[in-house]
Amino acid sequence: MRLTALFPLLCTLVAFILTLLCIFAGSKGGYIEQADIFTLNTSMLGHTTLDTTENSSSLLDSIGNSIKGEVNDLIGDVAKALNIHDFYSAHLLNYCEGYFTPGPVANKTVDPDKNVTQCSNRTALFHFDPTAAIQKELKPGISLADLEWPSTIQDAVHAVEVASKAMFVLYCVGVAATGLALLGAFVGVFSDGRAAPLANNALASLALLSIGIASAIVTVIMSKVVHEINKHGDDIGISAAKGTTFLAAPMGLKAVHFGGGNIGRGFVAEKLHLAGYEVVFADVMDSLIEQLQKTKEYTVTEIGGEGEKVNKINNYRAINSKTHEGNVIDEISTADLVTCAVGPNILKFIAPVIGKAIDKRTASKPIAVIACENAIGATDTLAGFIKDSKNTPPDRLSSINDRASFANSAIDRIVPGQDPNAGLNVKIESFYEWVVDKTPFAKEGHPEVSAIKWVDDLNPYIERKLFTVNTGHATAAYYGHARGKRTIHDALQDSEINKIVYDCLSETSHLIVKKHGISTEEQKAYVEKIVKRISNPYLEDVVERVGRAPLRKLSRKERFIGPASQLAESGDKIDALLGAIEQAFAFLDVKDDEESAELSKILKSTEAKEVVTKVCGLEESHPLFKQIVPIVERVQKNAK
């Protein structure tokens, strides 16, 4: 007996079982339902198109009037009134349908479970057609056209059909090859010849190739299908989510994320998890890492005007990068993606470990590096630190792009103050925007993360977001703080503050329209959306939290000095921005805000002109400089 052959036998057995589970998952009600390929959420279908006003269509009006009371009490009843289920989950051999329990997806405070009511018959070469499945269930006289079902979803359905058939064939080849390899491995335990190992290697290679291609198909195609459904289905209340258990198991996608804070857990890690990645958190906070290591699952509650949606986040690990740097290096060296949300000032501290990991990397495809910070060109900044001779050997610098691709990003999502006993759970705004420059990935292709919008030119997105969302948010915070308001919502209920915020955004909009060619109408609509978002009373966004770190917010390329300096250079109006800048300078000695205390010290010990140069990064010759100096002088006088 060859005991050394037992290990490959066990590995082959595990691969054989996992492949069979992927094939037969969901083949009957509740059987490994969590291993779906993707799930179509229809619990909100029809809700956004139901209109009981005088101008609504007769069909929608009649539906709306007949269930108006139920809609007000339970949004999920809309789907039931249309005679459809809450969800439809696609599997390799069939699909299942059912209802969410304990309640509908919208306006809930706990995470719903899938209650599968029935599944279709198992069929070889099956493909899930959501259009046909839902149309079959609608009440007589109602069609998907009446509910404004997007025609573009049918293109996604065609992609599902092609991908599903290819996946089925390849998985069958893979399971057959794995089964034969299992028999060969068993023979190899008792055989001393060379024929069995050679045959085993050939069969294992065939299985690996077949399953690998099938996994690539399901990851790439289904990611795009889910993206298209979410993109075009939002208006009528349908959404889709990839089955992360199915996608992650065969592909082994891994992302290392620096920063286990609210943005890291509640935004970046959430979206990576939903894209099928195992997430490895790296942080220096002992208590946070210990909590992540001991807790196998946390929740992200998305809050919007339509209610709450709760996502469970699991399939993650955590490493203390302060005490176990070597482990972090090993993880990055074999990962597909590395991200961070640590704050712009911390990038130089995480660069050494990332640099060492990139230098150690041997994979043929470069790792994607994306910094998710509220700063322009944050990934470029991080890359600059990584490429420093202290972090990357000079003789390896010329080939670093073979091992890593660096892409700038723009992120937009409001994270309000959290409940004191929330633990790892995060409450976050439902709206988000994650835009990434795709040009660094022209050769190898960008990572498949459906939440990311990939663009050729990132600058318009960065400045529009920074000079609209961040400028408006901070303006409301600083004026709100000065007038004793508790939350951003409270501040914007003050008509004077509300007008000031709009005045500031009118000035920044002038710059954005002129500089980036965005239409006036589009920018105006964007401003309205942003003000509505930051006014959300359910976010409980405390003004001191939003206003914290005034030194960073008053720096040269940030939300106030950035747009004001460009507008001043062209002689454009900046009166409202100057007012907001004054309020930012007056944000002094706020509890638990080190920067506000530091700003107070600077103002007390430094002459006004030097303050403008030191804090705002402006030289005396700049046209904005002379307008900021009297502001600083007033604040200094009032602070005495």
Side-chain angles (χ1 to χ4, degrees), residues 192-271:
D192 294 326
R194 299 179 61 186
L198 289 174
N200 258 8
N201 285 339
L203 289 168
S205 298
L206 176 61
L208 177 64
L209 181 64
S210 301
I211 296 172
I213 294 174
S215 300
I217 289 173
V218 70
T219 300
V220 175
I221 301 298
M222 295 308 170
S223 293
K224 292 183 177 179
V225 166
V226 167
H227 175 73
E228 288 301 308
I229 290 175
N230 288 335
K231 179 180 178 181
H232 299 288
D234 184 60
D235 289 340
I236 65 166
I238 63 170
S239 62
K242 291 180 293 184
T244 55
T245 301
F246 186 95
L247 296 184
M251 286 301 289
L253 295 171
K254 181 172 70 175
V256 177
H257 176 78
F258 283 84
N262 293 329
I263 283 288
R265 300 194 313 278
F267 184 4
V268 182
E270 179 205 32
K271 298 307 177 186

Side-chain angles (χ1 to χ4, degrees), residues 328-447:
V328 178
I329 291 172
D330 290 340
E331 294 289 352
I332 297 173
S333 67
T334 57
D336 302 279
L337 173 65
V338 60
T339 57
C340 65
V342 295
N345 296 331
I346 307 300
L347 294 176
K348 60 186 174 184
F349 297 112
I350 67 173
V353 65
I354 299 176
K356 292 174 185 176
I358 291 174
D359 192 56
K360 184 179 179 180
R361 191 173 177 82
T362 58
S364 59
K365 186 175 181 179
I367 188 172
V369 181
I370 303 173
C372 307
E373 309 289 350
N374 258 329
I376 295 175
T379 306
D380 285 344
T381 302
L382 176 61
F385 291 128
I386 291 172
K387 294 175 182 178
D388 187 282
S389 59
K390 297 192 296 292
N391 301 321
T392 298
D395 61 321
R396 298 278 285 168
L397 195 56
S398 61
S399 61
I400 193 172
N401 290 336
D402 295 331
R403 298 183 295 280
S405 298
F406 301 92
N408 286 311
S409 74
I411 61 167
D412 180 10
R413 201 173 199 184
I414 297 173
V415 184
Q418 303 297 305
D419 297 332
N421 299 319
L424 294 176
N425 299 335
V426 182
K427 182 168 61 176
I428 199 164
E429 176 193 26
S430 59
F431 175 89
Y432 73 89
E433 190 172 59
W434 188 1
V435 188
V436 181
D437 181 6
K438 71 178 180 182
T439 57
F441 306 105
K443 182 179 178 182
E444 301 289 345
H446 60 69

